[in-house]
């Protein structure tokens, strides 16, 4: 981290959702299309996966990444 940079610590759930949203933008996939790829009947399921105030199950977030063609990896590092 460079001097003067702020760090925001967020939950694993929020970080995963931000990465999911970025992946959707990169792949140009809408919530409706991701719902179709995941095989879920309602777009509401994907809307909740992107809602930072909703606590989603990790397996649901992983399924969304898989539907986009992404592998997921969790990493933990000791702070300096």
């Amino acid at each position: 981290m460079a001097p003067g940079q702020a760090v925001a610590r967020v939950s694993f759930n929020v970080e995963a959702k931000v990465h999911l949203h970025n992946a959707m933008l990169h792949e140009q996939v809408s919530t409706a299309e991701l719902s179709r790829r995941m095989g879920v009947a309602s777009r509401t399921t994907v809307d909740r996966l992107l809602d930072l105030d909703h606590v989603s199950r990790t397996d649901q977030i992983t399924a969304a990444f898989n539907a986009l063609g992404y592998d997921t990896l969790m990493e933990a590092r000791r702070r300096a």
Side-chain angles (χ1 to χ4, degrees), residues 13-72:
N13 211 263
V14 168
E15 183 176 358
K17 289 175 181 231
V18 169
H19 284 294
L20 177 60
H21 185 258
N22 288 340
M24 289 175 67
L25 291 174
H26 184 263
E27 300 299 326
Q28 298 180 345
V29 172
S30 67
T31 54
E33 174 60 17
L34 183 55
S35 297
R36 187 190 67 72
R37 291 184 187 188
M38 291 178 68
V40 295
S42 172
R43 197 184 84 188
T44 304
T45 301
V46 174
D47 288 337
R48 287 186 183 137
L49 287 177
L50 299 171
D51 182 352
L52 299 180
D53 293 322
H54 178 79
V55 178
S56 299
R57 292 189 345 234
T58 305
D59 62 316
Q60 292 174 325
I61 296 171
T62 300
F65 277 112
N66 289 338
L68 291 171
Y70 284 68
D71 290 324
T72 55

